[in-house]
Structures are given as structure tokens and as C-alpha cells.
Amino acid sequence: MGKRILMFLVTNVAVMVTILVVWTAITTLTPLDLSFSTEQGINFLAIGIFSILVGFTGAFISLAMSRWVAKKMMKVKILNPDESLSAIERDIVEKVHRLSRAAGLTHMPEVGIYHSPEVNAFATGPTKKRSLVAVSAGLINEMDNDAVEGVIAHEVAHIANGDMVTMTLLQGVINTFVVFISRIIATVASRAVPDQYRFIVHFATLIIFDILLSILGSLVVNAYSRHREFHADRGGADLAGRDKMAHALRSLKVHIERASMKNDRSDDSAVQTMKISSKKRGSLFSTHPDIDDRISRLEQM
């Protein structure tokens, strides 16, 4: 889930910045009175409505683009079951479709492979009917059949649980607070300076607090992601069997430890999906729980 969270957040920020830049251009270059501040005070209602519109628009546009963005960013090769595929590719498609049917999905996800040495996989998409499961070449090459099935089951569980939609709603709420609070602070700050400096102070304050509050908001998204990882592990265990899911996690742990012993930095550049997103245990910026905690919870099921 970590990789799709990064892609979602990047798209979300890009959409929000575009909306806010266009809004700033309109209010600056046209005679339209779109100000949130009057002589009587700050128009909290107008700022609130604007914040909700911008916040949820950014989140839902990001969700709608998530599958397309994933394909482009990761250069995913889509595996069409009606076309000629290698034995390995057909096996991956079969696993995804079999586990998807077991999860109760009526529309099969798109299946893809992206060429990367990282041991990774991710699932994304705006709805259960328009989803994508992609695995890396490194995962196929490094993991045995049972471990690969456990990883795929975990990703299918994310789709079945509707994690992307839930995260979108959460991100929309966070965006709303970011836009609302930053505009209140910017309006107050701009009133404290002479008229000729108001626009500069207002704009600079907006940028600074949009960034700071977005970082704080990402902590909430990351905390949600860590919580959902445990649920996806449990869902993967239900679909593929607890032994295969636990085996997948243990295999990933062995891979991480082996790469660390070799001082292999190539793995650090990847946004880790099934793996630990941070080397630091319990990091607030991690999208995934510590892998030992995940194995422990799975064994206690």
C-alpha cells in the first residue's frame, strides 16, 4: 500500500496546488471580489465552503487518476489473459484472479508487472471495478511460489477492503483543514502589515502553512495506513491461508536483512509496499508497521 499512498499523495498535492494557483490568479488578475476578508472581519463560512470544495476535489481527482498515474510512473506492463503470455505471467494473472474471486470481487483487477529489482507489489484504483494489482520483477525472481501468493493476497485484500476510497475520504478531510487553517492564518498575518505588503505576506504565509500542515496531515494518513496493513495481512491470510501469508512476511524480512548485510542501498530508494517503509521502528512517517509486529499479529490470529 505504501507505493500507492505515495502516488496518491503526490497527485493530490499537484491537483490542490493547481486549484489554488488558478484561484490566486483569478483573484489577483480580475476585478471579481472573491476575497474571504471584509472590513467587518473574516468570512469563516466562505473559507469553510471553499476549503471543503478544494480539499475533496483534490482528493477525488487524485483517486480517479490513481490507476493511470501508477501505470505511467511505474511503467507497468499490463498482462492481458486473452493474449500470449509466458508461463510465469499467466501464473501471476491466475493467482490474482483466483484470489479476487475468493475475495468476492465481481470484476477482476488489471494485472501488471513492472521491471524493477525491488521486491515489491502494489494495488491501486478508484473503485473495486477499476483496480490494478502490479508486482515487480524482483518479487517474482526472489520469492518462491507460496510467498508470491501471500503478497498478492495481501494486495487483493486492500482492494476488497476498499482502502483507497477510505483513504480518499480521510485525505479530503485533512485537505479541508489544511486549506481552512492556512487561509485563516494568512488572512490574520496580512492584516498585521501595511497595505502594500499584504499580498506578499498573505501569499508567503499560505505557502508555508500549506506545506507545514500538509506534513502534519500526512502523519494521520500514515497512521491510517499502518492500521490498514494489519487488516490487509489478515485478509491475505483469509484468502491464501495464514501459513502462506506468514511465509510471505518472513521471506520479505529475510530479504531485507540479506540486503542490509550486503549494504545494498538500492532497496532504500523504493517505496516499500509489503515491507517496512522505514528503517526506524515505530516511525511516525512510516506507512507500514514493523514487520515483526505484523508477523506476531498474524501468528496470534
Side-chain angles (χ1 to χ4, degrees):
M1 189 176 178
K3 187 175 293 295
R4 68 178 183 167
I5 288 178
L6 176 67
M7 292 184 286
F8 176 80
L9 290 177
V10 169
T11 308
N12 177 74
V13 170
V15 171
M16 284 199 45
V17 168
T18 301
I19 293 173
L20 295 176
V21 167
V22 171
W23 180 271
T24 301
I26 292 175
T27 57
T28 304
L29 302 177
T30 69
L32 296 176
D33 183 12
L34 301 176
S35 174
F36 296 129
S37 178
T38 65
E39 292 298 328
Q40 289 72 36
I42 301 173
N43 191 335
F44 290 98
L45 178 60
I47 296 178
I49 294 173
F50 173 77
S51 300
I52 292 172
L53 291 175
V54 172
F56 280 91
T57 298
F60 278 103
I61 290 178
S62 303
L63 178 65
M65 296 175 61
S66 60
R67 189 171 61 164
W68 179 83
V69 170
K71 291 178 184 178
K72 295 299 181 182
M73 286 183 64
M74 305 306 302
K75 299 180 180 178
V76 176
K77 174 189 175 184
I78 299 300
L79 305 179
N80 188 338
D82 297 327
E83 297 177 356
S84 178
L85 300 175
S86 68
I88 293 176
E89 291 173 338
R90 191 162 294 280
D91 181 62
I92 295 297
V93 173
E94 190 277 331
K95 280 183 171 62
V96 173
H97 287 186
R98 173 167 51 82
L99 293 167
S100 296
R101 286 191 291 269
L105 299 180
T106 56
H107 291 73
M108 294 301 100
E110 280 190 313
V111 185
I113 294 178
Y114 61 99
H115 295 285
S116 170
E118 63 173 349
V119 177
N120 216 334
F122 67 90
T124 192
T127 66
K128 294 180 182 180
K129 294 182 179 180
R130 298 177 60 238
S131 58
L132 165 70
V133 175
V135 300
S136 70
L139 177 74
I140 298 172
N141 295 331
E142 294 289 337
M143 296 293 182
D144 62 33
N145 189 64
D146 285 348
V148 171
E149 184 166 341
V151 170
I152 292 175
H154 173 98
E155 299 305 331
V156 170
H158 275 308
I159 297 173
N161 293 340
D163 286 339
M164 278 298 287
V165 175
T166 308
M167 190 182 75
T168 298
L169 296 175
L170 174 62
Q171 188 66 58
V173 172
I174 291 172
N175 289 349
T176 297
F177 277 102
V178 169
V179 175
F180 183 82
I181 295 173
S182 62
R183 266 137 198 83
I184 295 297
I185 295 174
T187 301
V188 173
S190 65
R191 287 187 166 191
V193 298
D195 291 345
Q196 62 267 34
Y197 301 118
R198 283 192 174 183
F199 176 78
I200 296 175
V201 171
H202 189 274
F203 186 76
T205 305
L206 275 181
I207 296 298
I208 292 171
F209 278 92
D210 276 342
I211 294 173
L212 291 178
L213 294 174
S214 293
I215 292 174
L216 291 177
S218 71
L219 299 181
V220 178
V221 176
N222 291 340
Y224 166 78
S225 174
R226 293 193 297 271
H227 172 70
R228 296 309 301 171
E229 286 305 310
F230 289 121
H231 285 267
D233 287 343
R234 184 180 303 169
D238 290 339
L239 296 174
R242 187 176 67 172
D243 290 342
K244 288 183 179 180
M245 189 67 243
H247 175 58
L249 291 174
R250 292 193 189 97
S251 298
L252 290 166
K253 180 181 177 181
V254 169
H255 173 78
I256 296 168
E257 292 174 345
R258 184 168 64 244
S260 179
M261 290 177 63
K262 293 179 180 179
N263 196 29
D264 183 1
R265 301 296 296 177
S266 63
D267 230 31
D268 294 343
S269 63
V271 180
Q272 301 172 20
T273 301
M274 284 287 292
K275 300 178 286 181
I276 306 169
S277 295
S278 171
K279 298 296 183 183
K280 296 181 180 179
R281 186 181 180 92
S283 170
L284 292 176
F285 289 95
S286 172
T287 58
H288 286 61
D290 182 87
I291 201 164
D292 287 322
D293 291 341
R294 294 170 66 181
I295 294 172
S296 176
R297 286 206 185 190
L298 199 59
E299 291 175 341
Q300 293 171 11
M301 283 180 55

